[in-house]
């Protein structure tokens, strides 16, 4: 399929983490159902499917889509966002608009509870730009015990 339009991906700030907007500018209005395919280039299991990365191609459905003024926008959720590591080159194909193009996956926050950031079996996303490691605060020094108090000396008699 020929490349048509320009592909961009950004965080969907109208939804919680794990959501993105895939935007393709310069395409014709879709004449059939919108599905998309996502491929990566560096693994044997290079096709994203409903359950994660797999060998066979899989057609995915967006949460929603919108076409306006030659721009097609797809809303995608954690089943896509949480499974693609930041900076990974991926290819998006949208057959309904005869579109295929590649992009490096941007840094989009994963969904809450996705496990992103922890190592997993490779189906969920790991963030490369992890936060700085936590550094323990130094413990406060132990207070030094006060020396025992000496009893006050007896009062001196006043001179006559």
């Amino acid at each position: 399929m020929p490349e048509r339009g320009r592909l961009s991906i950004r965080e969907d700030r109208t939804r919680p983490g794990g959501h993105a907007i895939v935007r393709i500018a310069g395409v014709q209005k879709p004449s059939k159902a919108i599905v998309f395919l996502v491929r990566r280039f560096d693994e044997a299991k290079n096709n994203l499917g409903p359950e994660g990365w797999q060998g066979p191609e899989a057609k995915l459905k967006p949460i929603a889509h919108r076409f306006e003024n030659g721009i097609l926008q797809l809303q995608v959720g954690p089943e896509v966002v949480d499974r693609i590591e930041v900076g990974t080159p991926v290819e998006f194909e949208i057959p309904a608009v005869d579109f295929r193009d590649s992009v490096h996956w941007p840094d989009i926050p994963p969904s809450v509870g996705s496990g992103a950031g922890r190592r997993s079996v490779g189906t969920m996303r790991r963030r490369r730009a992890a936060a700085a490691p936590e550094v323990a605060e130094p413990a406060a020094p132990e207070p030094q015990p006060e020396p025992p108090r000496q009893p006050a000396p007896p009062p001196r008699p006043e001179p006559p």
Side-chain angles (χ1 to χ4, degrees):
M1 275 184 204
E3 176 184 323
R4 295 184 184 175
R6 290 184 322 266
L7 173 66
S8 64
I9 302 170
R10 65 175 170 77
E11 176 183 358
D12 183 351
R13 294 178 186 237
T14 66
R15 295 175 173 257
H19 290 83
I21 301 290
V22 177
R23 185 176 186 267
I24 301 96
V27 293
Q28 298 295 320
K29 184 173 184 175
S31 59
K32 46 190 167 181
I34 297 292
V35 294
F36 63 97
L37 294 91
V38 179
R39 296 177 193 92
R40 60 185 179 182
F41 304 103
D42 59 348
E43 304 283 335
K45 293 182 177 183
N46 63 337
N47 294 289
L48 186 58
E51 302 300 317
W53 293 104
Q54 61 188 41
E57 280 189 350
K59 292 181 179 175
L60 302 169
K61 292 182 180 179
I63 294 170
H65 73 277
R66 182 171 98 189
F67 181 82
E68 191 173 304
N69 299 325
I71 299 171
L72 177 62
Q73 291 189 49
L74 310 179
Q75 289 181 326
V76 299
E79 65 282 351
V80 174
V81 174
D82 289 353
R83 291 188 168 110
I84 305 175
E85 189 174 334
V86 175
T88 300
V90 292
E91 179 180 75
F92 264 79
E93 181 179 344
I94 305 167
V97 293
D98 197 27
F99 176 82
R100 183 187 300 179
D101 197 7
S102 300
V103 66
H104 285 84
W105 189 258
D107 189 6
I108 298 173
S111 61
V112 175
S114 70
R118 297 184 296 211
R119 292 206 171 258
S120 66
V121 294
T123 58
M124 298 304 281
R125 175 177 157 212
R126 294 181 306 269
R127 296 193 57 164
R128 287 184 183 162
E134 289 186 30
V135 176
E137 293 279 332
E142 290 288 322
Q144 297 297 323
E146 291 185 27
R149 294 187 183 240
Q150 298 291 332
R156 290 188 171 175
E158 295 213 12

